[in-house]
Amino acid sequence: MASSVEQKDAPETKDQENETAAEKFNVEAAEVLATSAQRLPLAQAAPIYEQLLQLYPTAAKFWKQYVEANMAANNDDATKQIFSRCLLNCLQVPLWRCYIRFIRKVNEKKGAEGQEETRKAFDFMLSHVGTDIASGPIWMEYITFLKSLPALHGQEESQRMIALRKVYQRAIITPTHHVEQLWREYEIFENSVNRQLAKGLISEFQQKYNSARAVYRERKKYFEEIDWNMLAVPPTGSSKEEQQWTAWRRLLAFEKTNPQRIDSDSSNKRIIFTYEQCLMYLYHYPDIWYDYATWNAKSGSVDAAIRVYQRALKALPDSEMLKYAYAELEESRGAIQPARKIYESLLGDGANTNALAYIQFIRFLRRNQGVEAARKYFLDARKSPNCTYQVYVAYALMAFCLDKDPKIAHNVFEAGLKRFMQEPAYILEYVDFLYRLNDDRNIRALFERALSSLPPEKSVEVWKRFVQFEQTYGDLASMLKVEQRRKEAFSSIDEDPGSVLEDSLEEVVSRYSFMDLYPCSTKDLDQLARQEWLVKHMGKKSGVSNGPSRGGERGPPNLPSYSNLPTKFVDSDTSRTMASRQKPVDNTTVASTTVAGFNGVPNALSNSVGPLASSGATGPFDEVLKATPPALLSFFGKLTHS
């Protein structure tokens, strides 16, 4: 019963979590707050920025506002500390240009030492964001800075020219918005130094520049789809979020093709840069973190993949998916203790441990420490109130399939039966296990024990399986007896007990069908379906006359022929019809849910019922869906697909 309650409450809990996240990550309110902070003194604005950046740690524009406020107040120590917190996680050109502006300011009066510090800062910046499509101004600013350096003698001038040439040559092979302008400036530069040497160098780099320009034009199309002002929020399923997710996925796929045909190290750096930029905006998307870690592992850098997972779990500490993926990576490389710690973090203190964590940890122990360790932990886990029937099933099947010990598996199922006799799903898992043992005597005993304690409304599937079992294992007398008992069991809750107890030819069809083989023709099944509908509505007020048909009419008007239904039905047992009689079907969901044995009724059926569903009325075709035995529906569907 506990697991049933959990399953029932889970959707409500998830909705509540989504509502809480939506309130917490209010983008409009954050933007207003950031704007107001810009008009406040630093002492009042700082707590606001800290609050915003706790929620949006990858929001480069908020970091930029925060650092500019400190720069304006000449608070250099605080500015350095803020840059150390954000730069490597926010690979956005405007923020980094703010950084170089600060470095130049603090070093402008330090002479040669300050110039060297500034040069190192430029190199540091270009190593991190120099491949950005918007990094052209950074390259141009660096070139201008190098040109401004004093050269007191010929050797210094020569060194400055060499440094300029290297920066130009790096810039003109980087696909940026300014690549064409940088190429023109490079030609001027080389010709100003040495016209004869310039001809050879320009010819050498012409092809690389052409490649960079072509890749820029192609890459630009992907960048134009991305919203660079978007704040990172947990996914809500909005169309804008999905469009941005798709845009980043497309850009990542493009970069992985190495469009510029550069060496593998440079290509990998470019891909890493794109992932890092992507995570600034899709920070709360576990699939991006997983994809990033997996790419690193496949590229031969398992250590980098582990660092990605560690960052991911700081961003998404409640993501079980990422924890299992991280543990899997550690286990796959033989790091059993780190993997175990991850599993233990999933188990927590036991008070809120979910059943899946127990199951996966038992499997982990079985793989790495053997049968005895798994058995010992299962014995401890079963004492927890959070240990559901799934844990018993998982351990029993592990003992049976992996340890080849049916006796222990049988004992586990029996032990679980004391706690989960009211769980139909557990009963059916136990039945499946006994099926594998071909233990028909204990299967019958289990059915009898279960059905004696289960209320009728929870026993539908168990009765269905019991009938199927007798059709396979029993003789004719036992088969008929169980079918009759099932009818009687449901008569107490059926609105028309008489109709349940009546025998019908559809039961014979169900009884003597096997897989896709049926004891009648399509025409016979069509007729049986129409008769079933007539019997169900006999004596009721409807648009169907109970008297003799006139003018060659047969059956209810506008009733479609089932032999023409363009769908495939799966269920082949009449117990679904019983289930539909217990609980009225909501016609508004008939096009997308299971109705009297239908599994996902397609458009051809939903179109027939649509007008009635929208008005809340019940039409003849809708009634046929309820009344027709699933065995017939399954047969019709298979015929149309054969």
Side-chain angles (χ1 to χ4, degrees):
M1 293 295 290
S3 60
S4 299
V5 172
E6 290 171 2
Q7 293 171 0
K8 181 179 179 181
D9 292 345
E12 296 178 1
T13 303
K14 193 66 177 176
D15 290 341
Q16 291 171 356
E17 289 177 0
N18 290 337
E19 290 176 7
T20 303
E23 293 174 2
K24 181 179 179 181
F25 294 92
N26 189 324
V27 173
E28 292 78 10
E31 297 282 6
V32 171
L33 202 57
T35 302
S36 66
Q38 289 181 298
R39 297 190 292 266
L40 297 174
L42 180 59
Q44 297 177 18
I48 295 175
Y49 284 122
E50 289 292 343
Q51 179 186 355
L52 286 171
L53 293 167
Q54 186 176 6
L55 277 180
Y56 306 100
T58 58
K61 59 183 179 181
F62 291 165
W63 284 110
K64 183 173 178 288
Q65 290 178 22
Y66 192 15
V67 81
E68 285 177 337
N70 280 273
M71 288 172 64
N74 293 315
N75 195 346
D76 292 348
D77 290 337
T79 302
K80 291 177 183 178
Q81 195 270 337
I82 295 170
F83 274 129
S84 70
R85 291 166 58 191
C86 68
L87 276 181
L88 297 181
N89 293 325
C90 297
L91 302 181
Q92 192 183 70
V93 168
L95 177 63
W96 281 79
R97 292 192 73 184
C98 185
Y99 160 73
I100 204 66
R101 192 166 69 248
F102 170 73
I103 294 296
R104 296 187 72 170
K105 174 188 171 184
V106 298
N107 287 291
E108 63 182 351
K109 296 181 181 179
K110 294 183 180 180
E113 181 185 350
Q115 291 167 358
E116 180 61 18
E117 288 297 319
T118 302
R119 187 190 63 78
K120 289 180 180 178
F122 267 113
D123 286 335
F124 174 70
M125 176 172 61
L126 289 170
S127 69
H128 284 86
V129 296
T131 58
D132 193 298
I133 198 171
S135 65
I138 296 177
W139 290 101
M140 298 170 74
E141 185 178 353
Y142 190 18
I143 290 168
T144 302
F145 168 76
L146 291 175
K147 288 180 178 179
S148 70
L149 294 178
L152 301 178
H153 48 75
Q155 185 178 358
E156 288 185 349
E157 177 65 19
S158 177
Q159 290 175 346
R160 185 175 67 173
M161 290 300 105
I162 292 173
L164 274 168
R165 179 175 287 116
K166 287 181 178 179
V167 174
Y168 266 123
Q169 290 173 350
R170 288 170 60 194
I172 61 176
I173 64 172
T174 304
T176 67
H177 295 311
H178 294 76
V179 67
E180 294 181 3
Q181 181 180 344
L182 285 163
W183 173 256
R184 289 192 297 269
E185 290 185 11
Y186 174 60
E187 287 182 308
I188 295 171
F189 165 77
E190 290 292 4
N191 282 304
S192 68
V193 175
N194 187 319
R195 282 185 173 276
Q196 187 175 359
L197 180 62
K199 187 176 180 181
L201 289 172
I202 291 171
S203 176
E204 178 186 348
F205 278 86
Q206 179 78 53
Q207 186 175 354
K208 294 179 181 179
Y209 157 70
N210 289 338
S211 174
R213 184 178 60 177
V215 170
Y216 159 70
R217 291 173 178 173
E218 192 174 357
R219 182 176 286 156
K220 182 183 177 184
K221 299 175 185 176
Y222 295 96
F223 274 78
E224 288 174 345
E225 297 179 358
I226 293 171
D227 179 2
W228 297 95
N229 290 313
M230 175 181 171
L231 291 176
V233 298
T236 62
S238 71
S239 58
K240 181 181 178 181
E241 289 174 356
E242 291 176 351
Q243 185 273 331
Q244 288 299 299
W245 180 88
T246 303
W248 278 108
R249 279 289 192 176
R250 292 181 64 212
L251 177 59
L252 285 164
F254 170 74
E255 297 298 350
K256 289 177 183 178
T257 65
N258 189 7
Q260 205 170 346
R261 301 296 180 264
I262 52 182
D263 62 274
S264 59
D265 287 343
S266 299
S267 176
N268 286 346
K269 288 179 181 177
R270 173 74 212 181
I271 294 168
I272 290 170
F273 173 75
T274 307
Y275 269 116
E276 292 292 344
Q277 279 200 323
C278 176
L279 287 169
M280 289 175 59
Y281 303 94
L282 304 184
Y283 185 72
H284 298 277
Y285 285 66
D287 63 299
I288 301 296
W289 288 104
Y290 174 75
D291 194 53
Y292 188 17
T294 302
W295 176 84
N296 274 295
K298 289 182 177 178
S299 299
S301 183
V302 176
D303 290 340
I306 288 172
R307 288 193 295 271
V308 170
Y309 275 126
Q310 290 170 346
R311 290 170 56 197
L313 292 176
K314 287 181 180 179
L316 302 169
D318 298 326
S319 175
E320 292 182 29
M321 297 181 291
L322 289 176
K323 288 181 180 179
Y324 284 124
Y326 181 20
E328 181 180 283
L329 178 63
E330 292 283 24
E331 185 181 354
S332 66
R333 71 176 189 141
I336 304 305
Q337 285 307 311
R340 182 183 180 117
K341 287 182 180 179
I342 299 169
Y343 278 106
E344 289 172 348
S345 73
L346 283 158
L347 293 167
D349 57 4
N352 298 309
T353 305
N354 62 41
L356 185 60
Y358 286 130
I359 293 169
Q360 297 303 338
F361 188 52
I362 290 171
R363 290 176 173 175
F364 170 80
L365 292 174
R366 170 65 177 75
R367 289 193 300 269
N368 296 285
Q369 294 181 238
V371 176
E372 187 59 29
R375 185 190 69 83
K376 184 178 179 181
Y377 187 78
F378 168 70
L379 294 177
D380 290 337
R382 62 185 287 191
K383 299 173 185 176
S384 168
N386 298 323
C387 182
T388 62
Y389 73 86
Q390 292 94 335
V391 180
Y392 280 77
V393 172
Y395 183 73
L397 294 180
M398 185 175 69
F400 179 57
C401 299
L402 299 181
D403 304 336
K404 313 300 180 185
D405 196 333
K407 183 177 180 181
I408 288 182
H410 189 275
N411 291 341
V412 171
F413 271 117
E414 276 296 314
L417 206 60
K418 297 175 183 177
R419 289 179 61 177
F420 307 114
M421 181 64 85
Q422 295 298 310
E423 290 288 352
Y426 183 76
I427 303 299
L428 297 178
E429 289 289 345
Y430 193 1
V431 167
D432 287 340
F433 165 72
L434 295 175
Y435 261 111
R436 297 180 187 182
L437 298 180
N438 200 27
D439 189 353
D440 60 306
R441 182 176 63 84
N442 278 323
I443 291 175
R444 283 193 176 91
L446 176 59
F447 276 128
E448 295 295 348
R449 290 163 65 190
L451 291 170
S452 65
S453 62
L454 282 173
E457 61 272 11
K458 295 183 66 175
S459 65
V460 174
E461 290 298 321
V462 179
W463 274 112
K464 171 186 172 181
R465 192 70 66 84
F466 196 6
V467 170
Q468 290 176 340
F469 167 76
E470 290 297 348
Q471 289 175 352
T472 303
Y473 285 85
D475 55 25
L476 182 59
S478 63
M479 191 190 316
L480 297 175
K481 182 179 179 181
V482 169
E483 289 183 2
Q484 184 63 25
R485 287 176 59 195
R486 178 176 64 175
K487 293 179 184 178
E488 293 171 354
F490 290 120
S491 64
S492 61
I493 60 174
D494 195 277
E495 60 182 8
D496 186 6
S499 65
V500 177
L501 293 174
E502 288 180 356
D503 294 322
S504 65
L505 193 56
E506 288 90 336
E507 294 172 348
V508 176
V509 173
S510 176
R511 198 177 300 144
Y512 290 96
S513 299
F514 183 76
M515 297 177 68
D516 58 347
L517 304 176
Y518 291 85
C520 55
S521 66
T522 305
K523 182 179 179 181
D524 292 334
L525 286 170
D526 189 29
Q527 182 64 21
L528 287 171
R530 299 166 74 87
Q531 290 172 348
E532 173 77 6
W533 189 91
L534 289 169
V535 168
K536 185 175 179 61
H537 293 80
M538 194 176 296
K540 294 183 179 181
K541 293 182 179 180
S542 66
V544 182
S545 172
N546 291 332
S549 61
R550 299 179 182 178
E553 291 184 359
R554 295 190 307 151
N558 302 321
L559 183 62
S561 171
Y562 274 82
S563 58
N564 295 324
L565 289 181
T567 188
K568 183 174 183 177
F569 300 100
V570 178
D571 199 346
S572 60
D573 191 271
T574 56
S575 64
R576 288 291 187 186
T577 305
M578 297 287 187
S580 70
R581 287 171 179 164
Q582 295 170 38
K583 187 176 181 180
V585 178
D586 182 1
N587 291 325
T588 61
T589 60
V590 72
S592 59
T593 57
T594 301
V595 180
F598 288 76
N599 291 331
V601 182
N603 291 336
L605 293 180
S606 61
N607 290 343
S608 301
V609 234
L612 295 176
S614 62
S615 64
T618 302
F621 183 58
D622 194 36
E623 294 298 331
V624 172
L625 296 185
K626 294 182 183 180
T628 306
L632 309 188
L633 301 177
S634 176
F635 177 64
F636 302 143
K638 289 173 181 176
L639 283 179
T640 59
H641 285 74
S642 60

